[in-house]
Amino acid sequence: MAVSKVAIGPQGLNVSALGLGAMVLSGTYGSPDLAQSETAFKRAVELGVTLIDTADLYGDGANESFLAPLVAPVRDDIVLATKCGLTRSPTGSPVPNGRPEHVAKAIDGSLGRLGVDHVDLYYLHRVDPAVPIEDTIGAMSQLVAAGKVGSLGVCAVTAEQLERANSVFPITAVQSEWSLAERTFETEVLSTARALGVGIVAFFPLGRGFLAGAFDADVAFSNDDRSGDSRFAPQNLPHNLVVLEGLRAMATGLGLTIAQLSLAWLKAQGSDVIPIPGLERIEYIEESVAALAVDLGAAELAELDALFHQGAIRGGRQDPGRPPADK
């Protein structure tokens, strides 16, 4: 099946109902097979996935450079999104940087690495607490006027921050972690986004592999960004895996994988919700695209809500711009 298209945001940007989180294609979760990643990218586009998501932080630009030769032959067929607003501290930790002068420099770096003259969607990766968001979005809006950027988005914001950003320039998409395993977004940002007509892009919709059954209680992360996520820490993972077994049993009963059931749940939250799973293998691409054909009923959605209620999953990842979660 081909992935359908939906319009998001006040300008009606057309994107695929499923996007591709490109971060994992060139790193982050260990050392990937780059040839395999290239094949997966091409298969995703072939199946109609048009929204390709990257950031200047990923591999400190290496992910954008990896994408450049893959993007070139399909540039007119995709919606290319990247981000600014996170830099590295001397220790290598991500640090928010929303200064207008950084925004102007960052876009030129991204365009050069991607080998394009513009990106379709440009996100503020994280809000800089030292810079009013109005100033950062104002600088980003100048990039739209200059033709370097088509539309603007924000990531991991509060409802108030989203409103303030939108008061400066119409925000097309808000990107936030949202999945069965992380439902904080639903508390207030979801309703604010919908009131403003802002599209919703869900990153880590498979819980960084957790909702795909990617590991068990004996998992050991090496050269892997997930090592800092307390959901996978020894004090939390055994409990979380018990919750996951409920999802596995339900998926088996429906003839689905747990990844497909997880994505089907997000699909059921509304046509304005675009998951962008990180998928570096063809079989993962095809599995995820097939999930778009799954329509869950009210009883099934209620069962999932009961299983993954707020607080059901213990722990949370540390994220620049917000305190560590400890649910």
Side-chain angles (χ1 to χ4, degrees), residues 3-4 9 47 54 68 72 93 97 110 129 153 161-162 166 171 198 203-204 225 227 236 245 285 290 317 320 327:
V3 179
S4 62
L47 289 173
T54 183
S93 300
N97 185 345
S110 287
Q161 289 168 339
L162 177 57
N166 195 68
I171 298 300
V198 175
F203 70 80
F204 297 157
D225 185 61
S227 61
N236 294 325
E245 283 307 305
I285 297 287
R317 68 193 185 93
K327 295 183 288 182

Side-chain angles (χ1 to χ4, degrees), residues 164-217:
R164 289 168 57 192
N166 195 68
S167 71
V168 176
F169 191 88
I171 298 300
T172 289
V174 57
Q175 188 176 132
S176 185
E177 182 173 6
W178 191 17
S179 72
L180 282 168
E182 174 50 72
R183 303 187 61 176
T184 308
F185 177 75
E186 299 170 42
T187 304
E188 60 174 18
V189 184
L190 175 60
S191 60
T192 300
R194 285 181 166 156
L196 296 173
V198 175
I200 298 155
V201 176
F203 70 80
F204 297 157
L206 297 178
R208 312 187 96 187
F210 174 72
L211 294 172
F215 36 80
D216 56 25

Side-chain angles (χ1 to χ4, degrees), residues 75 107-108 111 116-122 139-151 169:
R75 181 64 187 96
I107 186 61
D108 289 337
L111 294 179
V116 298
D117 61 4
H118 76 284
V119 293
D120 304 295
L121 179 57
Y122 199 42
M140 293 174 70
S141 71
Q142 293 176 16
L143 305 179
V144 178
K148 296 181 179 182
V149 170
S151 55
F169 191 88

